């Protein structure tokens, strides 16, 4: 790596994730992985997945795609040979999460994702990275460089720890499975965490805009009221002047 570069990685502890998957269903032996075979980051994750799976006695079934149109057939093929499906942090996969989740849920297959955003889209469970926390960590690095004068070469690359376990309650109901109590007690439900956070973030600019409109409307109404009051005053003054003129006539 270039010594003048630093940053924060979204690399995850894949072995720890697979251990969680096994706890959810100890009968799982074949784990399918869907990924963009043209994305180097995804290929690296698949190799890490295979190494971790070997240690745990699991078999990895690979299915690489390069475009969205290949997804439906790839998912169908993968589900035939897999007990569960693992989704890495992959841009192409993330963009089609709803399609993937619809198919796996219909087939009653566990869909495990590497990050919480895909659980929001319909995957069952994850213990992945939080991109908000990655952003915070990257911001702290920027402060060290821009404000405190440190060189990037002096700041090693960082990773963030895996987040809390996150479960999609709706998907859990569709699959009709029971999550072990020790996992359930530690988990956060997507319905009460991610979705609320997502819509709060989405609506924040709208709420700010609505408040600005309301303030502008009040200001405009006050100006109109002031003009109307001034017009009344001018009209009364004009009437009084005419009355005084009439007196002199």
């Amino acid at each position: 790596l270039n010594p003048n570069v630093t940053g924060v990685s979204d690399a995850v502890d894949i072995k720890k994730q697979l251990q969680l998957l096994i706890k959810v269903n100890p009968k799982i032996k074949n784990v399918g992985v869907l990924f963009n075979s043209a994305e180097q980051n995804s290929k690296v994750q698949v190799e890490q997945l295979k190494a971790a799976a070997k240690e745990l006695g699991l078999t990895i079934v690979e299915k690489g795609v390069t475009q969205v149109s290949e997804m439906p057939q790839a998912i169908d093929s993968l589900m035939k040979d897999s007990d569960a499906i693992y989704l890495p942090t992959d841009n192409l996969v993330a963009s089609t999460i709803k399609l993937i989740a619809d198919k796996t849920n219909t087939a009653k297959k566990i869909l495990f994702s590497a990050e919480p955003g895909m659980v929001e889209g319909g995957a069952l469970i994850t213990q992945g990275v939080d991109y908000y926390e990655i952003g915070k960590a990257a911001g702290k690095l920027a402060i060290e460089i821009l404000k405190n004068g440190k060189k990037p070469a002096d700041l090693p690359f960082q990773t963030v720890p895996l987040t809390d376990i996150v479960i999609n309650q709706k998907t859990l109901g569709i699959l009709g499975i029971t999550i072990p109590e020790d996992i359930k007690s530690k988990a956060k439900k997507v319905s009460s965490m991610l979705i609320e956070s997502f819509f709060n973030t989405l609506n924040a600019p709208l709420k700010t805009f609505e408040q600005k409109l309301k303030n502008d409307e009040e200001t405009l109404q006050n100006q109109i009221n002031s003009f109307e009051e001034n017009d009344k005053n001018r009209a009364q003054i004009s009437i009084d002047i005419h009355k005084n003129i009439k007196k002199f006539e």
Side-chain angles (χ1 to χ4, degrees), residues 159-230:
T159 58
V160 295
L162 295 183
T163 64
D164 295 324
I165 297 169
V166 182
I167 297 173
N168 187 310
Q169 289 291 95
K170 181 179 179 181
T171 299
L172 183 61
I174 293 172
L175 297 180
I177 62 176
T178 302
I179 298 292
E181 193 57 42
D182 65 322
I183 296 176
K184 192 189 301 183
S185 63
K186 300 174 185 175
K188 292 184 178 180
K189 280 69 175 179
V190 68
S191 57
S192 61
M193 186 189 68
L194 288 178
I195 291 178
E196 181 180 354
S197 175
F198 172 75
F199 282 110
N200 284 342
T201 302
L202 187 67
N203 290 330
L206 179 59
K207 289 180 179 178
T208 301
F209 181 66
E210 286 177 344
Q211 186 60 49
K212 184 177 184 304
L213 282 180
K214 184 178 179 180
N215 293 340
D216 289 347
E217 183 180 359
E218 289 177 356
T219 300
L220 180 60
Q221 187 60 52
N222 289 336
Q223 290 175 341
I224 291 173
N225 292 340
S226 177
F227 289 144
E228 289 177 346
E229 187 64 33
N230 289 336

Side-chain angles (χ1 to χ4, degrees), residues 57-108:
L58 299 173
T59 300
I60 297 299
V61 182
E62 301 176 45
K63 202 67 180 179
V65 296
T66 57
Q67 52 191 6
V68 173
S69 61
E70 299 172 5
M71 280 291 184
Q73 185 176 352
I75 300 164
D76 291 341
S77 173
L78 198 57
M79 288 192 299
K80 292 177 182 178
D81 302 317
S82 309
D83 302 317
I85 294 177
Y86 177 92
L87 301 180
T89 54
D90 179 301
N91 293 327
L92 180 61
V93 169
S95 70
T96 57
I97 180 59
K98 290 192 180 298
L99 168 67
I100 298 169
D102 285 345
K103 282 184 169 290
T104 54
N105 287 344
T106 299
K108 306 294 185 182

Side-chain angles (χ1 to χ4, degrees), residues 12-20 22 29 31 44-60 86:
V12 298
D13 187 338
I14 294 179
K15 183 178 179 180
K16 190 172 182 179
Q17 290 183 330
L18 286 179
Q19 288 172 329
L20 175 60
I22 294 171
K29 297 299 179 186
V31 179
V44 169
Q45 289 180 80
V46 170
E47 291 305 312
Q48 294 172 340
L49 179 67
K50 288 159 67 175
K54 186 176 181 180
E55 292 183 36
L56 298 172
L58 299 173
T59 300
I60 297 299
Y86 177 92

